[in-house]
Amino acid sequence: MAKKEHISETPATQFLRKHGVAFSEHPYDYEEHGGTAVSSRELGVSEHAVVKTLVMQDEAARPLIVLMHGDCKVSTKNLARAIPCKSVEPCKPEVAQRHSGYLVGGTSPFGIRKAMPVYVEEGILALPKIYINGGRRGFLVGIDPKVLVDVLGARAVQCALAE
């Protein structure tokens, strides 16, 4: 008998299972350019608890991941100061996809194609539960934010700006 394939299997969920991370699955109807406002509305959770995975690069075009509250944006100046480097900017979508292996809008920090340093906005670690992309557009996973540090080795930074 064929093994029943899990409905939401992605490189991210495979990574989480392999590392023994407990997570809940939250599929929703993806809207192009809807962002975290759509996912938080669809899931009925605070946009502050929905975490965006942003692929950025430093002045030498070295990629990095920044995890940010859905209702905030990244101060690239404060991030550059914190990590320390001269400057940080978002990667172009096709470059981000090449580094992460995920389509923009479906980028997860778990199961990425290329190892990159991960930085997490400090306030995210204080939340009881976060909702972060599960490796596909329209699919979030709910996890304990401590997983970001314990499993990904994410470093806490302060670079949030209110949107």
Side-chain angles (χ1 to χ4, degrees), residues 123-139:
I124 291 170
L125 300 174
L127 297 170
K129 183 176 187 174
I130 59 167
Y131 300 87
I132 194 163
N133 200 288
R136 189 178 73 222
R137 289 175 171 179
F139 177 58

Side-chain angles (χ1 to χ4, degrees), residues 67-147:
L67 304 174
M68 181 54 69
H69 294 287
D71 58 354
C72 296
K73 58 186 182 191
V74 174
S75 162
T76 53
K77 203 175 282 182
N78 290 347
L79 178 62
R81 245 184 250 124
I83 65 177
C85 66
K86 286 191 183 105
S87 66
V88 176
E89 64 183 8
C91 286
K92 289 185 169 64
E94 61 277 7
V95 174
Q97 188 174 334
R98 200 169 53 241
H99 289 315
S100 70
Y102 292 111
L103 278 175
V104 171
T107 305
S108 176
F110 307 110
I112 53 176
R113 179 178 291 157
K114 183 184 209 176
M116 294 180 256
V118 178
Y119 300 95
V120 58
E121 175 57 37
E122 197 172 68
I124 291 170
L125 300 174
L127 297 170
K129 183 176 187 174
I130 59 167
Y131 300 87
I132 194 163
N133 200 288
R136 189 178 73 222
R137 289 175 171 179
F139 177 58
L140 299 183
V141 291
I143 59 169
D144 181 329
K146 289 181 198 66
V147 167

